[in-house]
Amino acid sequence: MGNVGHMDLTHRVSVPPPEPFFQAMKASVKEMFFPDDPFRRFKGQSARRRAVLAFQYVFPIMEWAPTYTKEFLKSDLIAGITIASLAIPQGISYAKLTNLPPIYGLYSSFVPPLIYAIMGSSRDVAIGTVAVASLLMASMLGKEVSAAAQPGLYIHLAFTSTFFAGVFMAALGFLRLGFIVDFLSHATIVGFMAGAATVVSLQQLKGMLGLQHFTNETDLLDVLRSVFSQSHNWRWQSAVFGCFILIFLLLSRHIIGSLKRGVNPPSVSELTFSTQYLGLTVKTGIMTGIVALAEGMAVGRSFAMFKNYQIDGNKEMIAFGMMNIVGSCTSCYITTAPFSRSAVNFNAGCKTATSNIVMATAVMVTLLLLTPLFYYTPLVVLSAIITAAMLGLIDYKAAIHLWKVDKADFIVCIVAFLGVVLRSVEVGLIIAVAISVLRLVLFIARPRTSVLGKITDSVGIYRSVSQYPTATRIPGILVLQIDSPMYFANAGYLRERILRWMDEEEDRLKASEEDTLQYVILDMTAVGGIDTSGISLLQETRRNMERRGLKLALANPGTDVMVKLVKSEFVDSLGQEWIFLTVEEAVDACKFMFHTYKSDIPNLTTMDIIDAQANV
Amino acid sequence: MGNVGHMDLTHRVSVPPPEPFFQAMKASVKEMFFPDDPFRRFKGQSARRRAVLAFQYVFPIMEWAPTYTKEFLKSDLIAGITIASLAIPQGISYAKLTNLPPIYGLYSSFVPPLIYAIMGSSRDVAIGTVAVASLLMASMLGKEVSAAAQPGLYIHLAFTSTFFAGVFMAALGFLRLGFIVDFLSHATIVGFMAGAATVVSLQQLKGMLGLQHFTNETDLLDVLRSVFSQSHNWRWQSAVFGCFILIFLLLSRHIIGSLKRGVNPPSVSELTFSTQYLGLTVKTGIMTGIVALAEGMAVGRSFAMFKNYQIDGNKEMIAFGMMNIVGSCTSCYITTAPFSRSAVNFNAGCKTATSNIVMATAVMVTLLLLTPLFYYTPLVVLSAIITAAMLGLIDYKAAIHLWKVDKADFIVCIVAFLGVVLRSVEVGLIIAVAISVLRLVLFIARPRTSVLGKITDSVGIYRSVSQYPTATRIPGILVLQIDSPMYFANAGYLRERILRWMDEEEDRLKASEEDTLQYVILDMTAVGGIDTSGISLLQETRRNMERRGLKLALANPGTDVMVKLVKSEFVDSLGQEWIFLTVEEAVDACKFMFHTYKSDIPNLTTMDIIDAQANV
């Protein structure tokens, strides 16, 4: 049947020499925190060169500025002016969304882009405020302090939250914990944003119906209860008036009013670290920081993938952190790299972060000279901008795509949406992340196992019989593939599942009157790791098989697994000769044994019992 | 080089027909909650037979009792009397450990074993109280109610906690959530038990030093602070006296005193559901329930593996739950299947759960007739039993084994130990479980990737070049194996890691002046699943490679992965012809293409940019 000679066991599974503990530890810490190997370029350089490289590492502007050309400047000028024309109305609108005076939106488009241009490593992102982080800040701060009643305090808390967001971002980057942001999956973000947009829309009901008393909560039930419990207070006139006013606004000019002339005033002295609001500002800072990072990192990474350069995620976080820390001291609230503005920047042909400097300069000119022009800006323009942003956030096409491709991701998305709509922005985010993590854990708790068969006419290709109808089982031999690491969380399940596969195979053989089951081969190719519970599972399975008169063989265990199987003496108890490099070799060996010897199964000894007890 | 003909592409990767959503859902729910397929035996039976089977399913005694033989009875009698002789002193000792009057230990060895004999499916476990659950209950209840000051209330709360533990266990079993117990790994339990034993030993310092004021906390720091802050109060006489009394106790007879004659009084009316203690009892019930289940399930499973019969873990939980619910109504506190007692039962040759009935009968006789005999039992015997139990709990050999085999498990073990010793029993347990789960998540967040090479002289065997020194890389082709599912948590990491592998390979090729890199083959064998973030990662990697002039090929994606790659149209964008059944076929195809055509890389189109933006 096989083309390979029987007992062709020249290829053995290799066991690498044991690695010293600290060396192994160092390697895994490096892989954990420095997967992108940022120090690669420092290797084999002189001390002086290293200092220059380190300086360039912290301030990427030192890397590209010396080779900056006129061509680049031309491109960056065009891109910078283009994004400035977007930054000014967006800044004003998002500031209103945050319940801050409009001028702070402009301030936030001045200082942070300059800091980013010095410290950031993306050539394509444009810096500014974003809708979701603005919303989240308004929702979290608004629960404890009313922007209308205590505008001064509210502004101070917004700066302080921004400060903490910056510290949090920079700390994540500095501690190289950037991967935490990865836990906000695409599905979570889609659901979360749609929920946030819905919440903002709901809040408009108050004004539309002319209600005096309105809930401070943002969740759907409270808002609807608040609306319907006051149905006697509904003013149909108000609703009609609302509609009229909408039309009126569209036709007439409801305006911003005066904006203070001049660039960002310092705001260090306005940071509030009093214990009364410390919890609130830290919490708001962390939550808005996570949301801002998630958007900014995704944007930076995807443009870098396009232009084929690399971004050090952790370094980016430090840049984002610093721009928010400095921003919070210069009257800015939370900023990141908004997707829309960065896409415009990219499409306008930006070459380097200089486009951010151009944009900041344009905003500065506006602040110094042009603020009076905004006096007559119709508020309806801002509403239109916010509404457009809100509609843009409900990405129902992405949700449909999730449903089509991955139901579990769709559920995460819907849960994030419902969490935000029914409870609050933070709750939605936390629940969605928890579900995503649960899904990872469940993936390991219930790994896929499949019976392998030989693909007809192939040279030793074994594949799942359920995926490949042409794969045929080998009589008397059950080949199982385990698709996940063997860890404590799945040891119990795998034990039961392997037994069930054996029972089912025996039933099948009995029904079809084929040979009896003699050998079970576990294909360990996809078993990426094993812990002591996993080893106990293998030990117990081996003993159970021996008691049934079956023999266990392993195929292709990886490095880590093999090292642990040797250390735990499992290899000795199984017999080194029962570990094979490929499934084909294991099958050939089993066939050879089967024809040569009668089954020779050791008896159960007292030692076995004691061993098993020690493993409980 | 290869023995297989070029472009031998007769084997294609199979895409199973799309499964209807509800069918797929049903299959995965079944695998999640019914991995042991308990309804297999009901298939194709008459309604009457089904009813009998269902009755037998709920009460396994109906299954084995009809075929019970005299031989069995003889074995069970011997085993039952043997374990009774262990149950009586153990019961009394552990009751003292729980700060309950000794008689409750005997009560707890009477009713629960009877319930288990009817409902349990293990033939080998013996039911009774266990040291760790007893300790945990004492520690948790003792924080709010003093057993010395309010003995009546304390007893009521112990019963109520037991009641909730029973409800919790039965609910877990009924909802088929038994896998939750798997999250207490062997390593966690080793550390946790050693910590618990240390905590009990620490508490003895009070009596030994004759201190009047002693902390109510159980943690090391508080106890030591309490001890050393009162060093002026240390009575060296007391310490010396303590030592003398120890010797005195060992020689003389410090006795239990009278035990009430008679079997378990009902205690339904003593269950306390007042809101004041509801939180405490529910929390204590859940924590002790988890600990009791973890021990009981492990014991039952390992003996079942020995004798080659199967245990339905969820059914076992219902049995454990019921015996604790009934127990709490008949003056028993929390019981499970203790390892020591079950091992004795097994070694004494028990055949069925009848040995539990024999034990219960022996305990009943003791309660009815023999309690006066215990009047003169020296307390030192109890201390000896507790001390022996405590020493037995510190399984330093297991800890050494963990260190040798798996450093991460060792860390989990030490953290559980330190958590219990430095904070409290619950905190230790929660931290250890959290670390274990974190480890699972990190396994996925930082999966292993390895470069594969062809094993010299083999027929298409590709293995990691770091594990197999004889594996050689194919010039111009980089073969990468990814060892985990591609999920949101690792999409960012994998993207960077794959790019880094490509950079390193290009550097290596440049240094050795070999061919340039042309093809990257991802071996997807070990990729057990993919979500939408994973698909985006593949899309972006493909685009990035095209921009570098490289071509991506996939080898052996599994069923689930293939289905999603087709649904998300990744297969269309990559080209169906770039997905291969084996690495060998992919390599052969790449070599063929390389020699036949010049690289033909599509240009970057606007559509690509729009696609990428949609994926942010």
Side-chain angles (χ1 to χ4, degrees), chain B residues 157-168:
Chain B
L157 294 184
F159 292 157
T160 314
S161 301
T162 303
F163 175 80
F164 283 122
V167 169
F168 173 70

Side-chain angles (χ1 to χ4, degrees), chain A residues 264-303:
Chain A
N264 305 22
S267 60
V268 186
S269 60
E270 296 177 12
L271 297 181
T272 311
F273 299 110
S274 74
T275 46
Q276 191 186 352
Y277 296 111
L278 198 63
L280 175 68
T281 48
V282 168
K283 210 174 91 181
T284 309
I286 290 177
M287 295 295 286
T288 53
I290 290 177
V291 170
L293 269 186
E295 180 158 359
M297 301 300 298
V299 169
R301 258 189 201 152
S302 60
F303 287 116

Side-chain angles (χ1 to χ4, degrees), chain B residues 226-242:
Chain B
S226 188
V227 168
F228 284 97
S229 68
Q230 302 179 62
S231 54
H232 54 284
N233 286 336
W234 285 7
R235 302 194 194 148
W236 62 268
Q237 306 95 323
S238 172
V240 172
F241 183 68

Side-chain angles (χ1 to χ4, degrees), chain A residues 3 76 78 92 136 173 188 217 247 255 266 291 297 315 322 326 361 390 507-508 540 563 605:
Chain A
N3 302 1
D76 283 336
I78 296 171
I92 294 174
L136 185 56
T188 309
E217 303 294 321
I247 297 163
I255 53 174
V291 170
M297 301 300 298
K315 208 162 98 183
M322 287 311 297
V326 175
T361 313
M390 291 301 108
D507 289 358
R508 205 183 61 81
E540 285 171 34
V563 166
T605 62

Side-chain angles (χ1 to χ4, degrees), chain B residues 308-319:
Chain B
N308 198 18
Y309 63 92
Q310 256 162 301
I311 280 187
D312 177 342
N314 291 299
K315 210 163 96 183
E316 269 304 87
M317 289 191 187
I318 297 178

Side-chain angles (χ1 to χ4, degrees), chain B residues 192-343:
Chain B
F192 173 74
M193 290 200 172
T198 309
V199 163
V200 172
S201 313
L202 278 175
Q203 294 292 322
Q204 315 306 320
L205 283 176
K206 179 189 176 189
M208 289 293 284
L209 294 170
L211 298 175
Q212 293 296 323
H213 309 289
F214 202 70
T215 175
N216 283 323
E217 303 294 321
T218 59
D219 67 279
L220 183 68
L221 291 182
D222 269 318
V223 170
L224 291 186
R225 193 179 302 126
S226 188
V227 168
F228 284 97
S229 68
Q230 302 179 62
S231 54
H232 54 284
N233 286 336
W234 285 7
R235 302 194 194 148
W236 62 268
Q237 306 95 323
S238 172
V240 172
F241 183 68
C243 291
F244 271 112
I245 221 131
L246 257 181
I247 297 163
F248 174 75
L249 279 174
L250 287 169
L251 300 176
S252 78
R253 334 200 114 238
H254 191 74
I255 54 173
I256 286 186
S258 74
L259 291 179
K260 218 168 66 186
R261 218 187 252 198
V263 296
N264 305 21
S267 60
V268 185
S269 60
E270 297 177 10
L271 297 180
T272 311
F273 299 110
S274 74
T275 46
Q276 191 186 352
Y277 297 111
L278 198 64
L280 176 67
T281 49
V282 166
K283 210 175 91 184
T284 309
I286 290 177
M287 294 295 286
T288 53
I290 289 176
V291 170
L293 270 185
E295 180 159 358
M297 300 300 296
V299 169
R301 258 188 200 153
S302 59
F303 287 116
M305 286 296 280
F306 260 129
K307 291 200 179 167
N308 198 18
Y309 63 92
Q310 256 162 301
I311 280 187
D312 177 342
N314 291 299
K315 210 163 96 183
E316 269 304 87
M317 289 191 187
I318 297 178
F320 280 5
M322 287 310 297
M323 84 188 184
N324 276 299
I325 293 173
V326 175
S328 69
C329 302
T330 53
S331 303
C332 304
Y333 76 101
I334 190 147
T335 49
T336 181
F339 176 66
S340 53
R341 203 182 290 187
S342 303

